[in-house]
Amino acid sequence: MFVYKLNNQRFESSKSKITGQELLTIANLSPTEDYELLYKINEKGFTPIQLDEEVDLKSPGIEGFRAKPYKGLFIKVDEKQFEVQDCFMTPNEIMRAAGINTDHSYLNEIRHNDIEVTYQDDVEHKVAITRKSCFVSYAVDPVECVIVNARDKVWNKNEIYFEDIVKLQYGTISNDPNVIYTVTYKRGVPSKPEGSMVRGEVIYVKNKMIFNVTQTNRS
């Protein structure tokens, strides 16, 4: 197999000599006539490739290919049309283009014969964008609990404060300046899947989001 990159995405071809049209087809960019195809040779910049022009993937110096629509593409999200300029977009980028809150929603792609492909757990997947691209958004599961120090804690709000997490673990929060709390989290919302929190901070919550809390005494 011969490996090449198009718009920084990795693709494979079973043959070394391949036409511009085949390069676009393998990348699921169709109709191929809608896209301008370029390839980069070392530091000489990009050179256009015609659809019927053949390229040898074994040739030295070929660093990768770039495709861009000749004009803006119109995609459908929740039955509404939106114009985009990129050939590959993540689900989050698509939702942002449609004005959808990525922390409260996830995206499915509607393919041939109304088959739905979900990107609920793959928000960084690069989706090939064509003029037939159609998507639908869904609300994420309602928040019922969070996991604090490996134990389920009832929580049904979309947001949570640093102090809330400490209280879920210890029942109360000390005002003693010598008592220090540390809060970290993972499996969070797409905009902040993991990280740490400080006093007074509030973040969005995902169902069964994981928190770890520690309490130390400063000597």
Side-chain angles (χ1 to χ4, degrees):
M1 299 297 288
F2 298 89
V3 177
Y4 66 93
K5 284 188 175 182
L6 193 156
N7 288 19
N8 293 320
Q9 302 301 302
R10 184 179 181 277
F11 299 97
E12 294 181 347
S13 169
S14 59
K15 54 185 181 180
S16 66
K17 293 185 178 181
I18 187 170
T19 65
Q21 186 168 33
E22 290 172 323
L23 285 166
L24 292 169
T25 299
I26 292 172
N28 294 319
L29 297 177
S30 62
T32 55
E33 294 81 7
D34 286 354
Y35 301 89
E36 179 184 18
L37 183 63
L38 309 166
Y39 75 90
K40 185 176 183 180
I41 302 180
N42 295 329
E43 300 303 321
K44 296 181 180 180
F46 288 92
T47 301
I49 303 173
Q50 303 302 314
L51 292 180
D52 59 355
E53 184 178 346
E54 194 172 71
V55 177
D56 192 344
L57 298 176
K58 292 190 299 185
S59 298
I62 291 183
E63 294 187 353
F65 301 88
R66 176 178 294 177
K68 59 181 181 179
Y70 282 112
K71 55 184 179 180
L73 295 170
F74 285 90
I75 63 175
K76 276 189 175 182
V77 182
D78 295 336
E79 298 298 325
K80 296 179 182 179
Q81 277 197 333
F82 299 91
E83 185 176 8
V84 297
Q85 302 295 327
D86 297 316
C87 298
F88 296 94
M89 299 176 70
T90 66
N92 280 354
E93 289 170 339
I94 295 168
M95 286 192 288
R96 282 194 288 268
I100 298 169
N101 188 318
T102 58
D103 288 335
H104 294 161
S105 306
Y106 66 91
L107 197 70
N108 282 9
E109 183 178 6
I110 309 299
R111 295 187 180 176
H112 184 63
N113 292 329
D114 291 330
I115 295 174
E116 288 196 27
V117 177
T118 184
Y119 300 111
Q120 183 174 7
D121 298 317
D122 194 5
V123 296
E124 296 304 321
H125 181 89
K126 288 288 187 177
V127 183
I129 302 297
T130 74
R131 64 187 183 190
K132 294 183 180 180
S133 292
C134 183
F135 305 91
V136 60
S137 66
Y138 294 97
V140 297
D141 294 336
V143 179
E144 297 178 349
C145 76
V146 293
I147 301 172
V148 181
N149 290 8
R151 293 183 178 273
D152 288 358
K153 303 288 185 178
V154 176
W155 189 261
N156 54 19
K157 299 177 183 178
N158 291 325
E159 296 178 335
I160 195 165
Y161 280 86
F162 175 97
E163 289 77 6
D164 295 324
I165 301 164
V166 174
K167 290 176 183 177
L168 286 174
Q169 175 63 24
Y170 297 108
T172 186
I173 183 166
S174 175
N175 292 319
D176 185 339
N178 292 314
V179 176
I180 300 173
Y181 298 100
T182 302
V183 174
T184 61
Y185 62 88
K186 58 184 179 180
R187 295 187 187 176
V189 297
S191 63
K192 290 185 177 181
E194 59 183 29
S196 59
M197 298 180 69
V198 297
R199 278 182 180 258
E201 185 176 359
V202 59
I203 61 173
Y204 285 123
V205 182
K206 193 167 74 172
N207 194 43
K208 294 190 176 181
M209 188 170 171
I210 297 175
F211 294 90
N212 284 291
V213 189
T214 58
Q215 174 182 297
T216 56
N217 292 295
R218 184 165 48 193
S219 57

